[in-house]
Structure formats: C-alpha cells, structure tokens
Amino acid sequence: MRSKNSKNAGAGKELTRREALVVGAAATPLLATRPRQAVAAESEGNPVGPILGHVDHETAIIWYRPISDGEFVATLTNTQSKASVSAKANALPENDHCVTWQFDGLEADAEYTYSITQKGQAVARAKHQRIHTAPQPKHPSRTVLAMGSCASSTDFFDVWTQIAANDIDGLMLLGDTPYIDNKTLSVNRSRHREFLSIPTLAMIGASTPIWGTWDDHDFGGNDTDGTIAAKHLIRQAFTEYRAQKQFGDGEHGVYTKFRRGPVEVFMIDPRYFSQTEPSPVDPDKPTCLGKQQWQWLCEGLKSSTAPFKLLATGMIWDDKRNSEKDDWQTYAHEREAIFDFIGEHRIGGVVLIGGDIHVSRHLKYPMKDRIGYDLHQFIISPLHDRVIPSLNVEHPDLLWGEPLKNMFLTVAVDATGDRPTLEAKWIDRLGKLHHSVRIELDS
C-alpha cells in the first residue's frame, strides 16, 4: 500500500529554475508502493525515468521504472536550506516494476533536487532532476502550461525539445499519447514504456510535472467507449505509467485535476464511463462523464478559486461531422448542462481544451448572455505529422483552423497585473507561431 510522506522538506527561498545540485543525505524513509493484481512478464529493456507526475504548491510525486525487483529510495533536497527527506518504494513484477514516491508538506514556490538510489548506490542522479513547487494558490503569479495530443512514439522527438524551450511549468497529455490500439495488459505496458522512453520527453519529465488523460487510441482502439471489455486492464497500465494524485474515483476512470498558480485544470476522462449508464442530466440519453465524474466536475468548478479553469479532454467540444460518435456533440445534453451549470453558479474564466482531430482550431462561442462571457475552445492536434483536413469543418464560431503538422499549445496564465490574463499560442516543432489569442478574465 502506498503511503504518503508528509514531512516538510525544508524552508528556503526560490533559486533559478535552471539550477540543479547533487542531492545530499537521506532523511526518514517511508514506504510508498502501489499494489497491482495482474503479474507482468519478466521486465525487459532499460530503466525508464525518473519522471515527475503531479506537482503543486505542497506535493510532488516522482515516477520511475527500473528493470529489476528491489527497494528503491528517492531523496529530495531543498536547494536553499539543504534539508533532505527520503521515501522508499518497492519495484515488483505485479506493477510492472513501476514505482512512485509522493512527498507532501513541501515548501511552496521552492526548488528541490532529487536522486534515486538502490542499496546506497545512485541509479538516477542528474543535474536536470529538479522540482519547482507551485506558488501558493492565492499568491499572484504566472504559469505556463504546454499541451498536445496524438503523439508518435518513434518520430519527431524534437517536438518535445521545442516544447521545453518555452520554459513551461507543466505538460498536459490530452490523449492518443501514446497510440496503443490494443486491449491486452502486456501491450499497453510496452507502449507506455516505449513512449516514456523517448529521450527528449524523458528530459522534460525529469524536471517538469506531467499530467494525462486518454482518448480512444490509448483506450483500446478507434472510437472506443466505456463498453470495452478490457478497460480495467487498460486502466491498470495507465495508472502504472502515470503519477497523478487522483485516478478517477480510485477504482474507475482516470479523471484528475491540479492547481498551478492562477489556473486550475480539470483533466476529463471522456471514455471510461461513456455509453455505460444513463446520463445524470437526462436519463433518456447515454452518459459521457458518468454520475461520479459529473459530480466531481461540478463540485470542483464550484469550489475553484483559480481565476482561470481549463476543461481538458481529447474529444472536441463541438461536432466532428464524420461517422464517429466520439465528440461532445454526441453528448450535447451533458455539454449544455455543463454550460448551464457554469452560468447558474457564475463560474468565471472557463476555457475548453480539445484534441483528437489532427487539426488545430480556435473557436469562440458567444455566451455572454448565458454564462457572462464568451467561451473559447482551443483544439490542439497532432503532435505527429498525420493531418485530417476534412475535419477542419466550417463552424459559425470558428476564428481560426488549419491542418498543421507537429503542433502543440502553450497556455500562459498571468495574475500579477491588475486583471488576470490568459494567452494561448499554437506552435509547431520548428518553433513557428501559427496563431495566438489573449483573453482578459471574464472579457
């Protein structure tokens, strides 16, 4: 059973984010493992990671996948105070040797370095292994998040380098990250392992928190929904190869959320529950979110104090206009209920994020009368080079759309001025800016 390290890793003011020091002595060890039911085949290949998962103003989760059984120790050191804290984790065949360490009670807006050892010998220690915790939520700050969908595991590794060049504070994987198209546990594990072994992605992950949800090609196959028989195995592999603070309700789904400075992100799971039960907003129609995720989203939006809130899924929020059912137009009853909820509770700063369609687009829905401001949707796809021009369909609220290769999105949210702002940029792997938009809160 995984335990959480709640010991404060030491006070200290912020240093430059590019500094990295060798980690010092260990503190009190705590157990931090994850049980799994299915037993993997013998481990193969090279170690993967370390990669950061969820990081906020007080918590950091580190993920690592060695090639053998054994006990591993992660040690965090505050670069200012030099105070250290450690935790243990056991790599076991039943979780495909994936291990995580969760450290709680960290100092906000502080720099840490970390190392991983086994039997006192360093197995992962490098200057770029560092953690920068988020500022306190109420403290005026600026955050830059990068995001993308539909990624290759074998080509275009330089897109990750270009993403890192934007000095991001976090990376969001929106689905089809990676492509798996298989329902077996072993293949899902191997594809996740291959993806996280991309050198340039691993370099980002060593110092930048990564969050993810899935779309269809990493949930069994094209246009899949929650009726797929092997979804418990697909979920098992996903949770083994990600390090998030929440995976759905703990047993079902992978939805999660995080707060980073002036923005709160809701990573929605549009697959696991879809078509499995009546909708919580219309019992005569099928659900997309499911009852539990619906409640989680509504409660999270209502309680959020972040100036901006991103609702992120792989599916786009309008109509793909093709033969597939995996868009929010299929579940328009739940989409419209979300919009009504936003308006009823006067929830400001909501922005929609989508992917999937191998086209990049920007839509602006006129909703001032309904929710108090116009609602933007940012669609970002693909990270690879396979575009689908036919899905760049006409829409009355479309501001920009192009079938562009190797694209990612950055979203910079700034609350240091008189009025919080959000700036989104669509950028390709060569660094060319194709489109941008700047939004003032509730404008």
Side-chain angles (χ1 to χ4, degrees):
M1 180 176 180
R2 186 178 71 173
S3 62
K4 298 178 182 179
N5 190 322
S6 59
K7 184 174 180 179
N8 194 304
K13 64 181 181 181
E14 175 188 359
L15 298 182
T16 172
R17 294 185 62 199
R18 300 189 182 279
E19 288 189 29
L21 302 174
V22 176
V23 176
T28 306
L30 294 175
L31 184 63
T33 60
R34 246 183 226 178
R36 297 292 174 207
Q37 294 181 349
V39 178
E42 183 151 337
S43 180
E44 52 187 71
N46 297 316
V48 184
I51 290 173
L52 300 183
H54 178 98
V55 176
D56 58 26
H57 65 286
E58 60 184 0
T59 296
I61 306 178
I62 301 169
W63 177 94
Y64 183 61
R65 200 255 184 195
I67 60 173
S68 61
D69 296 355
E71 182 181 86
F72 294 81
V73 178
T75 301
L76 266 63
T77 299
N78 186 297
T79 59
Q80 180 67 18
S81 69
K82 311 304 182 188
S84 296
V85 62
S86 296
K88 296 179 180 179
N90 288 314
L92 301 169
E94 53 261 38
N95 58 13
D96 203 31
H97 297 94
C98 297
V99 293
T100 59
W101 301 267
Q102 178 165 326
F103 293 89
D104 294 319
L106 301 181
E107 180 185 353
D109 202 10
E111 195 86 31
Y112 294 85
T113 56
Y114 66 93
S115 68
I116 299 172
T117 59
Q118 184 183 34
K119 297 180 180 179
Q121 300 296 314
V123 296
R125 174 179 289 174
K127 288 185 177 180
H128 64 275
Q129 289 176 203
R130 69 188 189 279
I131 301 171
H132 192 99
T133 54
Q136 289 284 355
K138 294 183 179 181
H139 182 76
S141 61
R142 182 177 185 271
T143 291
V144 181
L145 301 175
M147 58 204 74
S149 64
C150 311
S152 171
S153 295
T154 57
D155 295 300
F156 311 114
F157 291 177
D158 54 347
V159 72
W160 304 109
T161 304
Q162 190 64 242
I163 288 173
N166 285 268
D167 197 24
I168 62 173
D169 298 299
L171 175 63
M172 297 158 50
L173 303 174
L174 301 176
D176 299 343
T177 45
Y179 284 78
I180 300 175
D181 293 307
N182 190 280
K183 304 175 183 64
T184 64
L185 181 60
S186 61
V187 172
N188 273 261
R189 284 170 163 171
S190 67
R191 297 283 169 77
H192 280 296
R193 191 158 58 244
E194 178 186 44
F195 181 63
L196 295 182
S197 296
I198 294 173
T200 49
L201 176 57
M203 181 66 73
I204 291 179
S207 61
T208 304
I210 297 177
W211 293 270
T213 185
W214 49 31
D215 197 37
D216 52 352
H217 293 285
D218 42 2
F219 189 69
N222 187 56
D223 200 23
T224 46
D225 56 42
T227 62
I228 187 172
K231 65 182 180 181
H232 65 292
L233 298 178
I234 297 169
R235 182 183 183 276
Q236 177 177 337
F238 185 96
T239 59
E240 288 170 345
Y241 280 84
R242 296 290 182 270
Q244 301 182 168
K245 199 170 184 180
Q246 174 190 21
F247 292 100
D249 66 0
E251 295 184 22
H252 304 284
V254 297
Y255 55 87
T256 194
K257 66 178 181 176
F258 65 92
R259 174 77 183 263
R260 187 84 191 188
V263 61
E264 187 158 14
V265 179
F266 297 83
M267 301 286 286
I268 294 172
D269 178 350
R271 299 287 172 175
Y272 190 94
F273 304 98
S274 61
Q275 301 288 325
T276 63
E277 61 184 72
S279 171
V281 304
D282 188 340
D284 294 328
K285 296 178 180 177
T287 190
C288 176
L289 299 181
K291 180 180 179 180
Q292 290 178 313
Q293 185 174 195
W294 171 262
Q295 292 175 341
W296 165 84
L297 179 60
C298 291
E299 291 169 2
L301 282 171
K302 191 175 180 180
S303 64
S304 179
T305 60
F308 283 95
K309 300 95 176 165
L310 306 185
L311 304 188
T313 81
M315 294 194 328
I316 64 169
W317 290 82
D318 48 293
D319 192 350
K320 290 168 69 173
R321 297 190 190 173
N322 66 0
S323 61
E324 297 172 345
K325 65 181 182 303
D326 55 347
D327 57 36
W328 275 94
Q329 184 62 32
T330 301
Y331 306 99
H333 48 291
E334 286 188 11
R335 180 192 62 196
E336 299 306 309
I338 292 172
F339 297 164
D340 288 341
F341 184 87
I342 291 170
E344 177 184 353
H345 295 278
R346 299 182 179 180
I347 299 167
V350 174
V351 174
L352 309 176
I353 306 290
D356 174 57
I357 61 172
H358 299 204
V359 177
S360 293
R361 287 159 65 88
H362 173 208
L363 298 95
K364 180 181 177 181
Y365 306 107
M367 288 198 173
K368 288 185 178 180
D369 292 340
R370 185 173 180 183
I371 68 173
Y373 53 94
D374 292 334
L375 187 61
H376 293 258
Q377 179 185 189
F378 306 151
I379 300 173
I380 186 65
S381 174
L383 284 158
H384 58 55
D385 69 339
R386 299 187 301 278
V387 296
I388 308 177
S390 63
L391 294 185
N392 192 29
V393 299
E394 293 183 2
H395 192 286
D397 303 319
L398 179 67
L399 298 183
W400 171 83
E402 289 188 45
L404 297 167
K405 302 176 181 179
N406 307 123
M407 295 293 293
F408 63 92
L409 182 76
T410 63
V411 173
V413 181
D414 193 339
T416 60
D418 294 335
R419 192 172 189 176
T421 62
L422 180 152
E423 184 175 22
K425 296 180 178 180
W426 285 255
I427 305 170
D428 68 23
R429 71 183 179 98
L430 300 180
K432 181 179 179 179
L433 175 64
H434 290 268
H435 181 68
S436 65
V437 59
R438 185 178 182 272
I439 304 168
E440 288 191 352
L441 185 63
D442 293 352
S443 65

